């Protein structure tokens, strides 16, 4: 389901399944409206002040492992707009959290550690509300997101290899400069604001047998690890297309809230995330970042066969992706799909040798994207040339037809072998 449309359940007897990306319920991107979400939280059900039991300067007082805040359905009540200006559902929690600050803290400002979407939301709404915002972003943060945050007038510090290192640095700065640290995936008010997406879905499909399935990249499966261990545990956050999900340790509040509500958690390979981004661009004309496309990737990969014939809600909860990264994702998706192929073949260097190769490709309907000749570094006879070709095929079957034709004609042939989905 693209944008924020959710199909209402017309048949109560059917099971409705909500597939979410990791812990948070999001909204789709699209319209660029300036107005922000107004979230109303039942004050008696959530702590409006941090716990006092945590004194260690390296620990966020709002996220106390010894006293996690568990949000219930009654804790979240919202009236908000469907789309967010910064292209991500994170605005819901950011706006609400900033509005909940005391006047004194609003003047002092806030600080956060984020790879992008939480940072964008805080920076935009901090500027709108006149609240100083500092964000520590990891070295791997997308350039587009870093630049956008700076354009909103925030103090951006690029430091640390992952969110964990950024968090440690941000917490020290918070203590030194009397800033409030806002955890983008575990602060109670953040969780309440993000959860308003769930309310919008529930308003249209409120049934007790709804299933919730979490999806995350296999390169940073922190929630899966937490479910197995029964508590948040640290996992190494490797480079992933789903950078918005690359959290090395699940938040204590988020885990305490979600662990009994999530029915199943699956992980997906990077190739399927790339395919998901590609499918959304081609079929839905929607640009969705890796983290937002991860839930769809699980379905495309066949990880959720039990969903066939069921109603499924897939929040496409972010569209902030670098144009260069988008290009790489599309190419990787085409390669994994068997539609972008690369091979090296040795042909005769006499007149007509390369022409014969191009005619073979043309007769098969294969489009040549790039071709490079190599004569000096080959071991065959002096009258041969090595040709490296990148070509585009219609589909995987067309790729098999090309492979068969080349193998029948040429003896020295090798194909690049990306991680294919077939």
């Amino acid at each position: 389901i693209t944008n924020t449309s959710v199909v209402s359940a017309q048949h109560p007897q059917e099971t409705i399944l909500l597939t979410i990306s990791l812990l948070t319920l999001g909204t789709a991107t699209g319209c660029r409206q300036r107005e922000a979400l107004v979230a109303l939280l039942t004050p008696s059900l959530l702590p409006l002040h941090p716990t006092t039991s945590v004194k260690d300067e390296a620990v966020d007082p709002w996220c106390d492992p010894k006293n996690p805040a568990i949000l219930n359905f009654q804790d979240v009540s919202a009236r908000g707009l469907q789309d967010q200006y910064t292209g991500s559902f994170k605005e819901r929690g950011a706006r609400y959290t900033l509005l909940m600050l005391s006047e004194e803290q609003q003047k002092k400002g806030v600080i956060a550690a984020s790879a992008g979407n939480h940072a964008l939301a805080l920076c935009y709404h901090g500027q709108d509300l006149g609240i100083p915002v500092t964000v520590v972003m990891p070295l791997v943060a997308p350039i587009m997101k870093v630049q956008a945050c700076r354009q909103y007038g925030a103090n951006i510090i690029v430091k640390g290899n992952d969110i964990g290192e950024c968090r440690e640095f941000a917490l020290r700065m918070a203590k030194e400069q009397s800033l409030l640290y806002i955890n983008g995936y575990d602060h109670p008010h953040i969780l309440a604001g993000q959860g308003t997406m769930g309310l919008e879905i529930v308003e249209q499909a409120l049934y007790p047998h709804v299933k919730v399935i979490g999806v995350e990249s296999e390169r940073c499966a922190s929630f899966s690890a937490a479910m197995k261990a029964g508590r948040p545990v640290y996992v190494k956050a490797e480079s992933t297309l789903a950078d918005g999900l690359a959290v090395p340790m699940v938040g204590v509040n988020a885990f305490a809230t979600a662990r009994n509500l999530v029915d199943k958690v699956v992980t997906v390979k990077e190739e399927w995330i790339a395919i998901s981004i590609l499918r959304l661009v081609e079929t839905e004309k929607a640009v969705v970042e890796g983290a937002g496309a991860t839930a769809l990737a699980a379905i495309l990969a066949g990880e959720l066969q039990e969903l066939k014939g069921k109603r499924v809600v897939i929040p496409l909860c972010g569209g902030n992706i670098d144009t260069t990264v988008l290009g790489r994702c599309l190419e990787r998706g085409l390669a994994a799909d068997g539609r972008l192929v690369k091979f090296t073949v040795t042909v005769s260097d006499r007149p007509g040798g390369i022409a014969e190769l191009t005619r073979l490709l043309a007769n098969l309907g294969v489009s040549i994207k790039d071709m490079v000749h190599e004569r000096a570094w080959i071991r065959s006879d002096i009258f041969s040339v090595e040709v490296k070709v990148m070509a585009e095929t219609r589909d995987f079957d067309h790729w098999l037809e090309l492979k068969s034709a080349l193998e029948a004609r040429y003896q020295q042939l090798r194909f690049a072998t990306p991680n294919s989905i077939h």
Side-chain angles (χ1 to χ4, degrees):
I1 299 175
T2 58
N3 294 326
T4 51
S5 60
V6 178
V7 179
S8 299
Q10 300 174 357
H11 306 288
Q13 69 274 17
E14 294 184 1
T15 301
I16 301 171
L17 301 110
L18 309 182
T19 303
I20 63 172
S21 292
L22 197 62
L23 296 177
T24 50
L25 292 165
T27 185
T29 62
C31 178
R32 291 296 186 262
Q33 300 183 11
R34 183 176 179 80
E35 292 84 2
L37 169 79
V38 178
L40 304 175
L41 184 68
T42 306
S44 61
L45 297 177
L46 264 185
L48 298 184
H49 302 284
T51 60
T52 57
S53 62
V54 180
K55 298 180 181 180
D56 189 343
E57 65 177 83
V59 177
D60 180 3
W62 285 90
C63 307
D64 185 356
K66 298 180 180 179
N67 186 28
I70 302 176
L71 278 72
N72 298 308
F73 178 82
Q74 295 84 358
D75 295 338
V76 186
S77 175
R79 175 172 57 88
L81 299 175
Q82 298 285 350
D83 298 289
Q84 276 74 58
Y85 184 85
T86 63
S88 151
F89 73 101
K90 294 291 184 74
E91 289 193 39
R92 297 166 177 263
R95 180 81 179 191
Y96 176 70
T97 304
L98 292 175
L99 290 173
M100 291 293 290
L101 298 176
S102 65
E103 290 187 12
E104 180 183 1
Q105 192 61 59
Q106 288 183 353
K107 293 178 181 179
K108 292 180 179 179
V110 298
I111 188 170
S114 170
N117 286 341
H118 176 54
L120 284 169
L122 275 182
C123 294
Y124 174 76
H125 289 288
Q127 182 185 59
D128 187 56
L129 297 171
I131 299 174
V133 173
T134 297
V135 180
V136 182
M137 305 182 76
L139 297 171
V140 296
I143 297 174
M144 181 192 75
K145 294 181 180 181
V146 175
Q147 292 301 110
C149 289
R150 285 178 173 148
Q151 289 175 1
Y152 293 138
N155 176 27
I156 304 302
I157 301 172
V158 180
K159 188 180 184 67
N161 293 317
D162 56 33
I163 290 297
E165 292 184 10
C166 292
R167 176 180 177 274
E168 294 297 321
F169 184 79
L171 283 170
R172 289 196 297 270
M173 280 193 64
K175 184 175 181 64
E176 294 168 359
Q177 301 181 22
S178 299
L179 304 174
L180 175 66
Y181 178 76
I182 299 179
N183 190 313
Y185 54 88
D186 204 35
H187 192 289
H189 297 153
I190 289 288
L191 299 180
Q194 320 299 41
T196 60
M197 172 65 176
L199 288 181
E200 293 175 15
I201 297 174
V202 169
E203 285 174 359
Q204 302 182 56
L206 180 56
Y207 297 100
H209 48 273
V210 169
K211 293 183 179 179
V212 180
I213 301 173
V215 185
E216 56 189 352
S217 169
E218 66 175 8
R219 297 180 68 85
C220 188
S222 57
F223 190 63
S224 299
M227 291 291 281
K228 291 178 181 179
R231 58 183 176 82
V233 293
Y234 178 83
V235 299
K236 181 176 175 56
E238 299 183 62
S239 177
T240 171
L241 295 176
D243 58 277
L245 301 182
V247 177
M249 181 181 289
V250 176
V252 294
N253 299 328
F255 181 72
T257 299
R259 64 179 303 182
N260 294 322
L261 302 177
V262 175
D263 298 280
K264 181 180 180 179
V265 183
V266 299
T267 60
V268 292
K269 295 180 179 296
E270 292 291 292
E271 294 74 31
W272 282 109
I273 298 176
I275 287 288
S276 179
I277 295 172
L278 175 64
R279 293 285 189 271
L280 288 167
V281 169
E282 289 186 323
T283 62
E284 300 294 340
K285 316 306 177 191
V287 177
V288 179
E289 64 184 274
T294 300
L296 176 60
I299 293 178
L300 295 178
E303 297 289 344
L304 301 169
Q305 293 293 326
E306 68 272 22
L307 299 190
K308 288 185 176 180
K310 306 291 185 180
R311 295 180 185 271
V312 182
V313 177
I314 304 176
L316 307 178
C317 48
N320 295 310
I321 183 171
D322 277 336
T323 52
T324 53
V325 174
L326 176 61
R328 295 173 192 169
C329 288
L330 296 180
E331 286 194 343
R332 180 169 293 188
L334 289 169
D337 209 13
R339 294 159 58 190
L340 189 66
V341 300
K342 186 177 181 180
F343 62 88
T344 301
V345 59
T346 300
V347 304
S348 172
D349 198 23
R350 298 184 184 278
I354 294 179
E356 181 184 2
L357 172 63
T358 57
R359 275 197 304 270
L360 185 152
L361 297 179
N363 291 336
L364 290 172
V366 174
S367 176
I368 298 175
K369 305 285 289 183
D370 190 23
M371 178 181 285
V372 178
H373 310 158
E374 180 59 68
R375 291 178 174 83
W377 287 275
I378 61 174
R379 296 183 178 181
S380 56
D381 66 85
I382 195 170
F383 297 107
S384 297
V385 58
E386 189 176 79
V387 183
K388 298 179 180 179
V389 180
M390 182 186 298
E392 188 174 2
T393 58
R394 292 188 299 272
D395 51 33
F396 184 69
D397 290 336
H398 194 199
W399 178 84
L400 291 177
E401 182 183 357
L402 168 65
K403 184 174 183 290
S404 178
L406 289 172
E407 288 175 341
R409 175 62 185 85
Y410 299 103
Q411 292 183 344
Q412 298 184 42
L413 170 71
R414 62 181 184 275
F415 278 85
T417 54
N419 292 322
S420 175
I421 63 172
H422 299 280

